[in-house]
Amino acid sequence: MTLKFGSRGAEVIALQKKLNLMADGIFGKLTEEAVKEFQKSRGLTPDGIVGPKTKSALGMVASNSRKVDEIIIHYTASPEGEDFTNAQIKASHLARGFSDIGYHWVIGPNGEIRKGRDERLAGAHCKGHNTRSIGISYVGGCPPRSVKGWRDIGKDTRTPAQKAALIKLIKEVKGRYPNSTVHGHNEFANKPCPGFNAKKEYENL
């Protein structure tokens, strides 16, 4: 993920530590100026934006060494029958203080598989399990808006296309992380998410 003025989160903290700044996780003017000075010292374009070249020069390039042994299934807690795009999810997560979209993958209502956060980076989807897991969420999980108190009601709203896409994606992810096991968010938090028993449903994949 590119870091620039206004960015927040763990990656900004890592950047600030590399630049010997106070690590508050907020990419402000001081961080921007420090980035520009660093870029000048390395012969890079001093634009204050931390992209792949600047990250590489700083030694911040993510590796594939993250040990993943869990695949955690979620729902987006959005109304049944409505889409919730990655851009909307990301905006919601940024408003909560995340550095990016929290999920690694999102399954749209029609079964489209949408890439979220880079798998090489820890997600922000299940407290206490983010560093060791891949987070997959399907769009939905709540009744239609016409239902009173819909936000507080969790249910399995997966469409047939979403069910098929989840199986396909889980198999692909398990291919990359052979020792991983599949779980529902509700195994680790007092929440109904993802609205069904993911561990039981996917135990033989």
Side-chain angles (χ1 to χ4, degrees):
M1 181 183 70
T2 297
L3 302 176
K4 58 185 178 180
F5 184 83
S7 296
R8 293 170 177 258
E11 273 203 283
V12 176
I13 290 175
L15 167 66
Q16 291 168 328
K17 287 181 178 178
K18 288 283 187 181
L19 296 171
N20 296 315
L21 299 174
M22 182 181 73
D24 62 359
I26 302 171
F27 198 125
K29 280 293 183 184
L30 287 176
T31 301
E32 186 178 58
E33 289 303 317
V35 168
K36 288 180 179 178
E37 287 301 316
F38 175 82
Q39 289 170 326
K40 288 178 184 177
S41 73
R42 295 296 190 276
L44 300 170
T45 302
D47 57 5
I49 298 172
V50 184
K53 290 183 179 179
T54 302
K55 280 189 176 182
S56 179
L58 283 162
M60 290 180 64
V61 177
S63 70
N64 287 311
S65 62
R66 192 164 73 92
K67 293 183 179 180
V68 171
D69 60 8
E70 292 176 338
I71 300 169
I72 302 177
I73 310 302
H74 302 259
Y75 56 45
T76 57
S78 52
E80 184 176 9
E82 295 185 21
D83 197 1
F84 196 28
T85 67
N86 275 29
Q88 290 172 308
I89 297 169
K90 180 176 179 177
S92 172
H93 288 181
L94 290 176
R96 292 167 59 187
F98 297 0
S99 63
D100 196 359
I101 185 171
Y103 310 121
H104 295 98
W105 298 97
V106 176
I107 308 295
N110 296 320
E112 61 275 26
I113 297 174
R114 305 168 180 169
K115 189 178 186 305
R117 186 178 296 211
D118 193 313
E119 283 189 4
R120 295 173 297 178
L121 303 174
H125 57 91
C126 187
K127 187 176 181 180
H129 295 260
N130 289 316
T131 59
R132 58 186 289 193
S133 67
I134 297 295
I136 300 174
S137 184
Y138 71 89
V139 172
C142 291
R145 292 179 187 273
S146 58
V147 176
K148 185 177 180 180
W150 65 268
R151 293 180 186 275
D152 301 317
I153 304 172
K155 59 178 291 193
D156 182 0
T157 65
R158 290 174 298 163
T159 63
Q162 284 178 316
K163 288 182 178 181
L166 274 165
I167 290 173
K168 178 178 184 292
L169 179 57
I170 290 169
K171 286 181 176 179
E172 290 177 358
V173 173
K174 283 182 71 69
R176 292 191 287 277
Y177 310 100
N179 296 321
S180 60
T181 53
V182 183
H183 304 271
H185 189 195
N186 50 14
E187 291 181 52
F188 308 119
N190 186 25
K191 299 179 179 182
C193 175
F196 65 98
N197 189 333
K199 183 176 182 179
K200 182 177 181 180
E201 185 162 330
Y202 300 127
E203 63 184 352
N204 294 320
L205 290 184

